[in-house]
Amino acid sequence: MKKCIALFVLALFPSCCVAQATSDSGSPVSYSVYDRTRVVAVQWFSATPDPAVYGYLESLLRLGVAQNRKAFDWQLELTQPSELFLPDYAVSPVAAQGQLGLGGTYYASNNNQTENAAVALKQGFIRFHGSKPGRSLRIGRFEFFDGQETTPKNRDLQYLQTNRMAQRLIGNFTFSNAQRSFDGVDGHFDGKTWDVTAMAARSDQGVFNMNANPELNVDLQYLAYSKYDFKDHFLWRVFAADYHDGRTGILKTDNRPTAVRQADHHNIRIGSYGADFLTTVPVGVGSFDLLAWGVLQNGNWGLLNQHSGAVAVEGGYHATGIPTGPWLRGGFLRSTGDNNPNDNQHNTFFQMLTTPRVYARFPFYNMMNSKDQFVQLIDRPAKRLELRSDLHFLQLTSANDFWYQGGGAYDNKVFGFTGRPANLHSSFASVLDISADYQLTQNVALTAYYASAWGKGVVAAIYPMDHNAQFGYMEMTYKWGKQQRPMK
């Protein structure tokens, strides 16, 4: 994979790293401000008569400056995440019960402190433009999202690409407060209807740890080819990714006995090979959509051989001819789990460095060892208001494996994914949620979200007193940008 990316850069950008003086020295410098404030309430599953019910406050400030030149552009962005009023009782001493929701995760990830804040470099890169449009090479610290290499003109494809295709394997963990960036290089080579993207980078810390400056000994390489067809009604992609985790002193999360995992100090190196497509077909007062995504994985999970995979199929109908534009969708995901903790195989699908909340809006689960059947309804009763409700029926693929949670490495002290034993159960949970997004002004947006989960056999075996959980938040985001000509 590394050789493929190197050849990609040399062949497509032979002179891209030579920045020549241009006549656009007075091109505008842009400034940006992004502020997100969120009040969160959690009632977690309970193993005792006293359930873990708590609230906390979080804020995220991102300040950026950037400039576009003829031969290159650059961007510098700082981030300042804060977590306040975290509960100090939302981490159970019983290992299987673990962290009792995101409040417990933030608390444990920041040295058991209830108030946390830090400043970090979010992005700092220079991007060189090739001699022809559509060629670019970016070097530095940046955000990266697999599956979003292109920008479809079709609005339904845009929505599905962002909300139902991208970040299944690689993302910035947007919902978390410190988020994720990558230090490395990526390049694009675009044609009229196609795109080739390559990336090689190391992940930084962040996500739940407010100190997002350090790098992790975790790196990946990614190569993808995407293409539009049928007048922008069909988008398909083939991709490959190589993931390496060299944090050999950290206990891996899998279903082997603890003593066996403690003795495994070998690297993780996994290759993922996949394809997906999106399409919309105009019918009647709207259009049908269809999505399919699949990936196979092999490599080494420490001392074990990795063989795993996942597939998702979704479809729906968007009635754009009706004033509120109702959009009804449904589908399923199935990923592999590990049936035997005592052989030399690891068959649990591995989600790499993902953004789990895109596909699990109440993020007490992810796509690993998972069966997820869902129905979704989106409606816009007013121009500035979007409503959405999802209903999920969840099972574990293997009752001998774990109930997994998390979105990948974010710290040099913990693995990044947590696992709770399934205890020979596969019936997991049902989740119903609803959200409202309102664009108050051009710069200010408001969001309200509520979800309720009904735990079944897997949950009841760990949390016998209360199998149900609730999660909700109120959020305000402010975005501001301005261009100013630089001083000469």
Side-chain angles (χ1 to χ4, degrees):
M1 178 62 71
K2 292 180 180 179
K3 292 181 179 178
C4 291
I5 292 174
L7 291 172
F8 169 83
V9 171
L10 291 173
L12 304 183
F13 300 93
S15 60
C16 65
C17 293
V18 180
Q20 300 177 354
T22 65
S23 60
D24 66 338
S25 58
S27 60
V29 174
S30 63
Y31 302 92
S32 63
V33 176
Y34 173 88
D35 181 78
R36 183 180 74 190
T37 303
R38 183 186 295 152
V39 179
V40 183
V42 179
Q43 179 220 316
W44 194 250
F45 310 104
S46 180
T48 68
D50 299 317
V53 180
Y54 57 87
Y56 59 94
L57 174 68
E58 59 183 38
S59 69
L60 171 64
L61 177 65
R62 293 174 60 162
L63 303 174
V65 57
Q67 185 181 25
N68 290 320
R69 306 285 294 259
K70 183 177 180 180
F72 64 91
D73 65 87
W74 59 268
Q75 181 175 351
L76 179 66
E77 186 178 25
L78 299 179
T79 181
Q80 196 278 300
S82 301
E83 290 287 336
L84 304 175
F85 315 118
L86 293 173
D88 59 4
Y89 54 86
V91 179
S92 172
V94 180
Q97 295 164 17
Q99 297 160 2
L100 309 178
L102 293 181
T105 301
Y106 280 116
Y107 176 78
S109 301
N110 294 279
N111 299 313
N112 295 338
Q113 299 294 318
T114 58
E115 322 292 329
N116 302 280
V119 177
L121 175 64
K122 187 70 180 86
Q123 297 191 94
F125 63 80
I126 183 168
R127 178 165 39 207
F128 299 98
H129 305 299
S131 56
K132 296 181 180 180
R135 299 186 182 188
S136 67
L137 182 70
R138 179 170 57 172
I139 301 172
R141 174 167 288 192
F142 50 81
E143 295 181 311
F144 188 87
F145 310 90
D146 89 283
Q148 266 188 302
E149 298 83 6
T150 57
T151 306
K153 296 177 183 178
N154 184 297
R155 294 184 66 181
D156 283 1
L157 287 187
Q158 280 187 33
Y159 180 90
L160 292 172
Q161 182 191 52
T162 300
N163 295 281
R164 301 305 307 172
M165 184 68 78
Q167 304 186 68
R168 288 183 183 264
L169 293 177
I170 307 170
N172 75 339
F173 216 128
T174 314
F175 187 74
S176 68
N177 215 15
Q179 302 184 338
R180 174 188 289 129
S181 296
F182 297 94
D183 294 339
V185 56
D186 75 337
H188 290 268
F189 183 64
D190 296 347
K192 218 172 183 185
T193 62
W194 53 269
D195 169 86
V196 177
T197 295
M199 186 268 275
R202 291 168 68 92
S203 177
D204 72 0
Q205 197 162 263
V207 182
F208 301 115
N209 189 321
M210 296 302 99
N211 180 11
N213 280 309
E215 278 189 351
L216 303 178
N217 189 11
V218 174
D219 58 86
L220 59 87
Q221 298 83 44
Y222 174 83
L223 183 64
Y225 175 83
S226 307
K227 192 175 189 310
Y228 303 116
D229 278 314
F230 304 112
K231 297 182 179 180
D232 204 41
H233 284 282
F234 191 90
L235 171 65
W236 60 272
R237 172 182 63 135
V238 292
F239 60 89
D242 178 70
Y243 173 93
H244 168 252
D245 187 341
R247 300 173 303 157
T248 56
I250 293 178
L251 187 68
K252 300 173 178 62
T253 301
D254 58 62
N255 61 342
R256 290 176 294 175
T258 301
V260 175
R261 289 185 287 133
Q262 288 174 337
D264 185 351
H265 297 292
H266 287 65
N267 291 8
I268 293 174
R269 187 174 292 279
I270 295 175
S272 301
Y273 319 94
D276 51 46
F277 74 82
L278 289 169
T279 187
T280 61
V281 181
V283 176
V285 296
S287 60
F288 282 106
D289 65 83
L290 181 64
L291 174 157
W293 172 88
V295 63
L296 295 174
Q297 296 179 324
N298 66 3
N300 299 311
W301 182 272
L303 293 169
L304 305 180
N305 294 319
Q306 179 81 23
H307 295 284
S308 53
V311 62
V313 177
E314 301 178 10
Y317 186 77
H318 190 185
T320 52
I322 297 176
T324 63
W327 196 349
L328 181 63
R329 305 191 69 254
F332 72 88
L333 164 91
R334 187 187 188 280
S335 67
T336 57
D338 192 274
N339 285 314
N340 188 349
N342 300 311
D343 60 10
N344 67 343
Q345 302 288 322
H346 183 252
N347 302 123
T348 305
F349 171 65
F350 182 59
Q351 223 178 333
M352 291 175 46
L353 296 168
T354 183
T355 301
R357 194 181 180 269
V358 177
Y359 304 94
R361 299 210 298 169
F362 184 174
F364 68 93
Y365 64 99
N366 59 22
M367 294 184 189
M368 297 166 61
N369 186 36
S370 180
K371 295 179 182 179
D372 182 358
Q373 301 176 68
F374 78 93
V375 179
Q376 175 187 94
L377 178 63
I378 305 168
D379 198 24
R380 298 185 67 91
K383 185 177 180 180
R384 296 185 177 186
L385 176 63
E386 179 178 286
L387 302 178
R388 173 179 163 182
S389 183
D390 291 16
L391 175 61
H392 291 260
F393 303 97
L394 304 169
Q395 292 182 299
L396 301 187
T397 308
S398 171
N400 291 310
D401 203 351
F402 280 173
W403 153 19
Y404 290 95
Q405 183 180 343
Y410 66 86
D411 197 308
N412 280 310
K413 299 177 182 178
V414 296
F415 187 65
F417 291 100
T418 61
R420 296 175 173 87
N423 294 305
L424 301 180
H425 296 283
S426 60
S427 182
F428 181 25
S430 296
V431 187
L432 176 64
D433 71 15
I434 186 169
S435 63
D437 294 282
Y438 185 72
Q439 193 69 39
L440 184 64
T441 69
Q442 182 180 356
N443 303 105
V444 178
L446 305 176
T447 297
Y449 176 82
Y450 172 77
S452 182
W454 297 273
K456 300 179 182 176
V458 174
V459 177
I462 301 173
Y463 302 101
M465 292 299 296
D466 191 347
H467 315 161
N468 303 326
Q470 300 178 83
F471 173 69
Y473 64 87
M474 300 287 291
E475 177 182 281
M476 182 179 73
T477 57
Y478 172 80
K479 297 180 182 180
W480 174 87
K482 183 179 181 180
Q483 286 190 340
Q484 178 178 325
R485 302 196 74 81
M487 297 179 63
K488 295 183 179 179

